[in-house]
Amino acid sequence: MADATIIDGKAFAAGLRARVADGVAALKASHGVTPGLAVVLVGEDAASQVYVRSKERALVELGMNSFDHHEPADMAESDLLALIDRLNADPAVHGILVQLPLPRHIDTQKVLARIVPEKDADGFHVVNAGLLATGQPGAIVPCTPLGSLLLIRDTLGRDLKGKRALVLGRSNIVGKPMAQLLLQADCTVTMAHSRTADLPAECRRADILVAAVGRPEMVRGDWIKPGATVIDVGINRVPAVGINRVAAAEPGKTRLVGDVAFDEAVKVAGAITPVPGGVGPMTIACLMLNTLAAACRAAGAPVPEEAAL
Ligand SMILES: NC(=O)C1=CN([C@@H]2O[C@H](COP(=O)(O)OP(=O)(O)OC[C@H]3O[C@@H](n4cnc5c(N)ncnc54)[C@H](OP(=O)(O)O)[C@@H]3O)[C@@H](O)[C@H]2O)C=CC1
Ligand SMILES: Nc1nc(=O)c2c([nH]1)NC[C@@H]1CN(c3ccc(C(=O)N[C@@H](CCC(=O)O)C(=O)O)cc3)C=[N+]21
């Protein structure tokens, strides 16, 4: 069988960012409003700094306002809550993103709950999770599952009814909302996790397999149903191996791999996202989309169709 189609998330995300830029220009022209996102980073985590920088770059490129709040790792929880209160009250701020994970002394759920749901660009607030779970309009959908769904639709079309979907991972930020979106799209959805019995067999039944476990290359080629659509959410930094697959050949060097063993899976799947260049760029593009959508709602302007599922 021919190798799988590689789903080019990087290219799709570039197109989506261009559509968002058009929407930003239209909102400015019609309502005189420039969408703004506040990004709050607490601490100096290297990976988080990379993501935050790429978010800020994307905002500026798309004509949006970026408000950066880089705070020390020992910031008091009460000061973080007070900062969120100020951002909630600021009319120039349409979206608020608090980069996760937060330092251990801060209660993440308490912080996420403090963001007004209308400005919750990540879609992590319980109100947005509840709107999504009950199929109500107006939910802000978490960026990674939204981006994954857009790639699935681009690959299989909008009609996903009757397809068997397996979501591997049940986190609040990826696995659970991903399963909700696929359920809403009339897939028959199974959620798998660390206590699932016979994970390979569950995976092999899936027409659509979304892997979000954070375990480098855990999903092997023979776990995949021939022709399946595979969405690899995992982003894992591992030591780079040299020509003889010896890590020591390039000490200190790392590379990114997904949760799927790509070289095996590409021989079995019908379509598959690469890492990097798959879901990751979609997450950032969807964050821009959610920010534009929040600004549109605040201004009473129509919400872009891709954000209004
Ligand atoms: N592309 C992107 O933009 C983004 C990528 N990510 C990446 O996605 C991955 C998942 O992230 P996130 O959802 O936050 O991760 P979490 O660690 O919050 O959740 C991981 C899930 O995987 C399950 N799991 C862990 N080990 C196994 C195993 N051996 N077998 C079966 N299930 C297992 C856990 O099960 P249990 O609940 O039973 O413990 C849990 O539900 C990570 O690699 C992360 O870096 C995350 C966000 C955005
Ligand atoms: N409140 C919050 N919201 C998030 O959405 C959030 C977060 N916290 N904490 C961390 C995770 C992770 N995340 C990624 C975003 C983009 C890429 C991305 O663009 N990756 C590129 C590669 C980047 C590289 O080379 O390092 C790619 O896959 O092609 C990856 C990961 C968002 N997260």
Side-chain angles (χ1 to χ4, degrees), residues 50-51 55 97-100 122 124 235 237 256 276-278 280-281 283-284:
V50 173
Y51 298 143
K55 285 164 193 167
L97 177 142
V98 178
Q99 182 72 20
L100 301 181
D122 264 323
F124 293 167
I235 299 203
R237 202 163 273 287
L256 292 183
T283 297
I284 295 188

Side-chain angles (χ1 to χ4, degrees), residues 38 73 83 106 110 128 189 213 225 231 234 237 259-260 272 277 295:
L83 170 59
I106 295 177
K110 196 168 170 183
N128 285 312
V189 182
V213 257
K225 179 176 177 174
I231 305 294
R237 202 163 273 287
D259 291 338
V260 178
I272 183 169

Side-chain angles (χ1 to χ4, degrees), residues 176-307:
K176 280 181 199 160
M178 187 74 245
Q180 296 291 359
L181 288 174
L182 291 165
L183 193 57
Q184 203 166 299
D186 297 328
C187 293
T188 302
V189 182
T190 305
M191 296 193 69
H193 45 76
S194 68
R195 306 300 154 111
T196 295
D198 203 350
L199 193 51
E202 292 292 347
C203 291
R204 272 193 292 267
R205 287 148 52 94
D207 304 308
I208 299 170
L209 173 58
V210 182
V213 257
R215 298 277 180 268
E217 302 182 323
M218 189 181 92
V219 176
R220 312 309 308 189
D222 64 0
W223 296 25
I224 292 167
K225 179 176 177 174
T229 298
V230 177
I231 305 294
D232 190 353
V233 176
I235 299 203
N236 308 290
R237 202 163 273 287
V238 298
V241 292
I243 307 162
N244 301 317
R245 303 188 79 79
V246 179
E250 296 179 82
K253 274 209 169 180
T254 62
R255 66 191 173 107
L256 292 183
V257 297
D259 291 338
V260 178
F262 183 88
D263 293 350
E264 297 174 16
V266 77
K267 297 195 161 53
V268 187
I272 183 169
T273 61
V275 177
V279 175
M282 289 299 292
T283 297
I284 295 188
C286 287
L287 177 66
M288 305 297 118
L289 178 65
N290 280 350
T291 303
L292 169 62
C296 288
R297 282 192 200 96
V303 172
E305 189 258 346
E306 282 167 300

Side-chain angles (χ1 to χ4, degrees), residues 44-259:
E44 305 296 327
D45 179 68
S48 287
Q49 288 187 5
V50 173
Y51 298 143
V52 165
R53 268 199 301 274
S54 45
K55 285 164 193 167
E56 289 163 354
R57 201 179 323 120
L59 286 164
V60 173
E61 277 172 18
L62 273 49
M64 299 198 255
N65 287 327
S66 165
F67 304 100
D68 318 340
H69 294 270
H70 293 193
E71 305 292 335
D74 61 357
M75 179 187 213
E77 184 185 271
S78 57
D79 289 335
L80 179 55
L81 294 172
L83 170 59
I84 290 172
D85 289 342
R86 287 199 298 281
L87 298 171
N88 282 339
D90 184 343
V93 172
H94 302 98
I96 302 170
L97 177 142
V98 178
Q99 182 72 20
L100 301 181
L102 286 167
R104 288 232 297 279
H105 68 279
I106 295 177
D107 180 345
T108 300
Q109 288 308 326
K110 196 168 170 183
V111 170
L112 296 180
R114 192 71 159 236
I115 300 169
V116 291
E118 300 75 34
K119 295 193 180 187
D120 169 36
D122 264 323
F124 293 167
H125 193 286
V126 286
V127 164
N128 285 312
L131 289 171
L132 176 62
T134 54
Q136 297 186 65
I140 300 179
V141 179
C143 304
T144 301
L146 176 58
S148 300
L149 182 73
L150 294 176
L151 293 180
I152 293 167
R153 280 184 176 171
D154 190 53
T155 305
L156 295 174
R158 288 181 73 112
D159 182 9
L160 304 175
K161 89 171 146 313
K163 300 220 180 284
R164 279 185 191 278
L166 187 288
V167 180
L168 180 48
R170 55 173 162 182
S171 72
N172 291 335
I173 65 171
V174 187
K176 280 181 199 160
M178 187 74 245
Q180 296 291 359
L181 288 174
L182 291 165
L183 193 57
Q184 203 166 299
D186 297 328
C187 293
T188 302
V189 182
T190 305
M191 296 193 69
H193 45 76
S194 68
R195 306 300 154 111
T196 295
D198 203 350
L199 193 51
E202 292 292 347
C203 291
R204 272 193 292 267
R205 287 148 52 94
D207 304 308
I208 299 170
L209 173 58
V210 182
V213 257
R215 298 277 180 268
E217 302 182 323
M218 189 181 92
V219 176
R220 312 309 308 189
D222 64 0
W223 296 25
I224 292 167
K225 179 176 177 174
T229 298
V230 177
I231 305 294
D232 190 353
V233 176
I235 299 203
N236 308 290
R237 202 163 273 287
V238 298
V241 292
I243 307 162
N244 301 317
R245 303 188 79 79
V246 179
E250 296 179 82
K253 274 209 169 180
T254 62
R255 66 191 173 107
L256 292 183
V257 297
D259 291 338

